[in-house]
Amino acid sequence: MTRRNTISALLIMVAGGLLAAGCDDMNAGEKKQTHQSPRPTHFTLGIEQDGRPVPVDKQTHSVRLQKKPFKIVFYFEQMSSMLVQASFEPNLIRKAEAGESMEKLIRQDGTIVEDLLNPNFTLYVSREGLYHNWLYLGPQTHRFDADKGVQEIPEKEGGGFYCVRTVKMLDEDGQTFPVEQCPQGKIYLLFFKVDRIPGSQRRAERQRDWLVLDFGE
């Protein structure tokens, strides 16, 4: 597939994918204005299975999948850390939708230790707020797929980055099993795009979103 065809496929995916949630906590507590300026979109996400984009219900943030490997696909305007929390329960997503702060949703000491370049194609599932840090520090220093997992889009074609993370395995509390053997009918994914605050170890949340993977027959 040529770069142009790849970008065309990405645009199709975005059109059928998940819109920005629009309820990040950067302005939590502020009264909504009638003519409020739109919040910036730092990323858009979607799902692919069997090499094709899978439509996402924008109202429920859910996508119907077969119980087999899939890909989480991102478009980023700029690269930085993407914190991703996966659970078999909806509690954290419900709190995120209600505007709970990021610090109360994920453990600050809860980064999952994993190798670069996604060699095991594993998604770690935790009800305790443990989370992935899908960062990008360079062409060979990131946690997306090794083979074309990060593709930079030329400025003349809109700029940004197209990133892919393949999921073939699930890990729950140290027990690893193929997606085909997932013991639950749904996986709840919570996403935070963050930047480091200069001179601090703290992170600033730029955007949040969530996605429900529904393996219902």
Side-chain angles (χ1 to χ4, degrees):
M1 179 180 288
T2 66
R3 179 181 289 273
R4 184 172 293 278
N5 287 339
T6 298
I7 294 169
S8 297
L10 168 63
L11 294 175
I12 293 172
M13 180 278 295
V14 170
L18 192 62
L19 295 178
C23 72
D24 57 70
D25 66 345
M26 290 187 294
N27 298 310
E30 292 185 8
K31 186 176 181 179
K32 291 185 178 180
Q33 302 293 325
T34 304
H35 301 290
Q36 187 176 21
S37 299
R39 292 172 179 163
T41 299
H42 296 275
F43 73 92
T44 306
L45 64 90
I47 295 290
E48 291 182 0
Q49 194 170 59
D50 294 330
R52 298 186 298 274
V54 183
V56 177
D57 187 309
K58 298 177 179 64
Q59 297 300 316
T60 63
H61 290 230
S62 62
V63 57
R64 196 71 172 266
L65 295 176
Q66 298 180 53
K67 196 174 281 189
K68 60 183 182 179
F70 57 90
K71 295 181 178 182
I72 306 174
V73 184
F74 300 89
Y75 167 75
F76 295 107
E77 288 192 346
Q78 294 182 342
M79 296 297 291
S80 63
S81 291
M82 169 65 77
L83 309 186
V84 183
Q85 204 281 333
S87 176
F88 288 136
E89 299 178 355
N91 299 345
L92 293 181
I93 282 183
R94 289 172 179 168
K95 292 179 180 179
E97 187 174 10
E100 192 82 38
S101 69
M102 181 179 67
E103 289 76 13
K104 293 182 179 179
L105 294 172
I106 59 174
R107 289 170 41 184
Q108 297 307 296
D109 62 344
T111 307
I112 294 165
V113 178
E114 55 182 324
D115 293 327
L116 298 172
L117 304 177
N118 191 28
N120 301 316
F121 304 108
T122 299
L123 181 69
Y124 293 83
V125 183
S126 169
R127 71 178 64 182
E128 302 297 332
L130 301 179
Y131 63 90
H132 299 259
N133 184 354
W134 293 348
L135 51 74
Y136 178 88
L137 299 176
Q140 296 298 314
T141 312
H142 59 78
R143 293 198 174 107
F144 300 99
D145 289 358
D147 183 17
K148 297 183 179 179
V150 176
Q151 299 183 54
E152 187 171 0
I153 302 171
E155 287 296 330
K156 64 181 181 180
E157 297 179 13
F161 297 84
Y162 172 68
C163 301
V164 179
R165 171 90 179 199
T166 299
V167 178
K168 296 181 180 180
M169 306 293 292
L170 302 173
D171 184 296
E172 182 186 23
D173 300 325
Q175 299 294 317
T176 305
F177 42 86
V179 173
E180 290 87 342
Q181 298 177 16
C182 180
Q184 303 294 331
K186 294 182 179 180
I187 299 176
Y188 300 87
L189 297 174
L190 184 56
F191 303 87
F192 294 99
K193 184 73 160 54
V194 300
D195 290 318
R196 284 285 185 187
I197 298 175
S200 169
Q201 293 301 311
R202 297 178 59 244
R203 298 185 177 104
E205 178 186 337
R206 300 307 182 194
Q207 182 187 332
R208 68 175 58 177
D209 217 327
W210 52 90
L211 189 59
V212 180
L213 308 183
D214 186 349
F215 296 116
E217 300 297 332

